Amino acid sequence: MKIAIDGMGGDNAPAEIVSGVIKALEEFKDIEFYITGPEESIKKEIAKNNYSGNNIIVIDAKEVITTNEHPVMAVRRKKDSSLCKALNLVKEGICDAVISAGSTGAFLAGCTFIVGRIKGIKRPALAPVMPGKNGSFIIVDAGANVDSKPEYLVQFAHMGKEYYKGVLNGENPSVGLVNIGEEAEKGNDLTKESFKLLSEEKLNFVGNIEPREITKGDVNVIVCDGFTGNTILKMYEGTASTIMKVIKEEVMASGIVSKIGAVLLKPVFNNIAKRFDYKEYGGAPFLGVDGICIKAHGSSDARAFKSAIKQAKIFYDNKVLDKIKENI
């Protein structure tokens, strides 16, 4: 497998990106990486990690797309950027996948205009894997489309089903539609029409799901428009982080007995923190584009980026892209 890496994308580029690639090579020796970015800077980071193998190829790119630029204009104007060069490697068939921790908007624009959509797909969707009490689930869409139409949500459901089956090894995954109530007549025009269309599809559609039920993980594929999905995603991440901080503050402010109890429960707290740590999941794919395009978290460190690489490999090994094409 060959993976294109946007070497200058993210808050910690290029140091953590290069380090993540080299950590991935320790586990996946059969992957070849093409890292795009200023050649001198990338090679300097490779040398810092004492890597001397042949599985990393550096592609010189003089420009960088930042998060404060207009996504579409940046992609059109900065042809020599690390992001565009990485995307073109997939478009030209040189690489099988591309990973970037840079601007989500620019990456989505590049995936759409450079790599292109799968024939028949109306809109690509961002699909992160999320931890639930009873198992992991995915949200489709988590921010690629602020405004959506009912037919988009139907395609999101089908793509999400194939992604869940391929990456999380779930047979006949359940599909739920985010709504303010379980009843079919609840919600706005989008959810009402989407409910009707989803009910007519060959899906394991379980109906509407309220946000408070999502975290259980009993429903495998959560379908919604990008505005709703992104709100759920960020609220979920913020809540998990806040709860862990509050527990720590309460323990430190309490007496000696509580602190001794906290020490005894430390393995439990560590396991909970790990279950809700985005670094374990790595990134989220843009489903619907004609290539494996993984968006890593903007603040990814080496461990998180390695997880994104692992996700791309599972996507590739299980031929999820081909299965989405067949399904659509």
Side-chain angles (χ1 to χ4, degrees):
M1 185 184 182
K2 297 180 180 181
I3 301 179
I5 302 290
D6 173 12
M8 300 305 292
D11 301 336
N12 303 311
E16 293 296 321
I17 305 303
V18 173
S19 182
V21 167
I22 293 171
K23 285 183 182 295
L25 280 170
E26 294 172 2
E27 183 176 349
F28 310 116
K29 298 183 178 6
D30 57 341
I31 300 180
E32 191 171 74
F33 292 96
Y34 289 66
I35 305 180
T36 60
E39 187 173 6
E40 187 177 338
S41 298
I42 301 298
K43 287 185 174 179
K44 184 179 179 181
E45 293 300 330
I46 293 173
K48 281 184 184 178
N49 285 271
N50 298 316
Y51 180 77
S52 57
N54 300 316
N55 285 48
I56 297 178
I57 297 168
V58 179
I59 305 295
D60 189 41
K62 306 295 185 186
E63 298 176 306
V64 176
I65 293 177
T66 62
T67 55
N68 57 4
E69 294 181 77
H70 187 280
V72 176
M73 295 306 295
V75 168
R76 286 178 175 170
R77 290 174 178 173
K78 292 188 172 181
K79 304 294 185 184
D80 194 35
S81 64
S82 58
L83 176 60
C84 289
K85 286 214 166 178
L87 286 162
N88 273 298
L89 288 169
V90 174
K91 178 186 178 182
E92 294 163 8
I94 297 170
C95 290
D96 305 295
V98 56
I99 305 174
S100 175
S103 164
T104 302
F107 193 26
L108 173 61
C111 288
T112 305
F113 299 132
I114 297 174
V115 178
R117 296 194 301 269
I118 294 171
K119 186 177 180 181
I121 294 292
K122 295 182 182 298
R123 293 288 189 278
L126 189 63
V129 177
M130 301 292 291
K133 177 180 175 292
N134 301 320
S136 298
F137 60 92
I138 63 173
I139 299 177
V140 199
D141 173 28
N145 306 276
V146 175
D147 297 306
S148 292
K149 296 180 180 179
E151 55 264 37
Y152 300 172
L153 269 60
V154 172
Q155 291 193 337
F156 296 169
H158 281 285
M159 293 191 294
K161 179 189 76 173
E162 294 302 331
Y163 176 54
Y164 188 93
K165 286 167 62 178
V167 175
L168 297 175
N169 299 316
E171 286 301 319
N172 194 30
S174 54
V175 177
L177 176 67
V178 178
N179 207 336
I180 58 173
E182 295 182 359
E183 301 86 352
E185 64 273 10
K186 283 287 184 72
N188 54 21
D189 291 341
L190 173 64
T191 55
K192 289 176 185 177
E193 183 61 25
S194 297
F195 186 99
K196 179 182 176 183
L197 293 178
L198 287 166
S199 300
E200 297 168 353
E201 293 291 312
K202 292 181 179 179
L203 292 163
N204 182 14
F205 181 56
V206 296
N208 290 328
I209 178 170
E210 295 184 68
R212 65 185 176 191
E213 300 296 322
I214 292 174
T215 56
K216 293 179 180 178
D218 292 331
V219 179
N220 308 132
V221 180
I222 306 299
V223 177
C224 55
D225 63 274
F227 183 91
T228 301
N230 195 261
T231 302
I232 292 170
L233 175 68
K234 290 177 179 175
M235 182 68 181
Y236 199 43
E237 288 180 342
T239 301
S241 175
T242 299
I243 288 173
M244 295 307 295
K245 288 177 182 177
V246 169
I247 291 173
K248 185 176 180 180
E249 288 172 2
E250 288 294 322
V251 168
M252 296 308 293
S254 301
I256 187 68
V257 175
S258 296
K259 290 178 181 176
I260 292 172
V263 171
L264 295 174
L265 288 170
K266 188 176 180 181
V268 175
F269 293 144
N270 287 340
N271 287 336
I272 293 172
K274 186 176 180 181
R275 283 179 63 179
F276 288 89
D277 187 357
Y278 74 88
K279 295 174 185 177
E280 294 293 318
Y281 298 88
F286 280 118
L287 301 180
V289 293
D290 199 6
I292 302 172
C293 301
I294 305 292
K295 173 64 180 74
H297 205 288
S299 58
S300 291
D301 61 9
R303 181 164 68 90
F305 208 80
K306 179 191 172 183
S307 296
I309 291 168
K310 182 178 180 180
Q311 191 177 36
K313 188 177 188 304
I314 295 171
F315 201 114
Y316 174 81
D317 289 344
N318 292 322
K319 303 185 186 304
V320 176
L321 186 62
D322 292 336
K323 290 173 182 176
I324 289 175
K325 289 180 180 180
E326 291 170 11
N327 188 291
I328 294 300

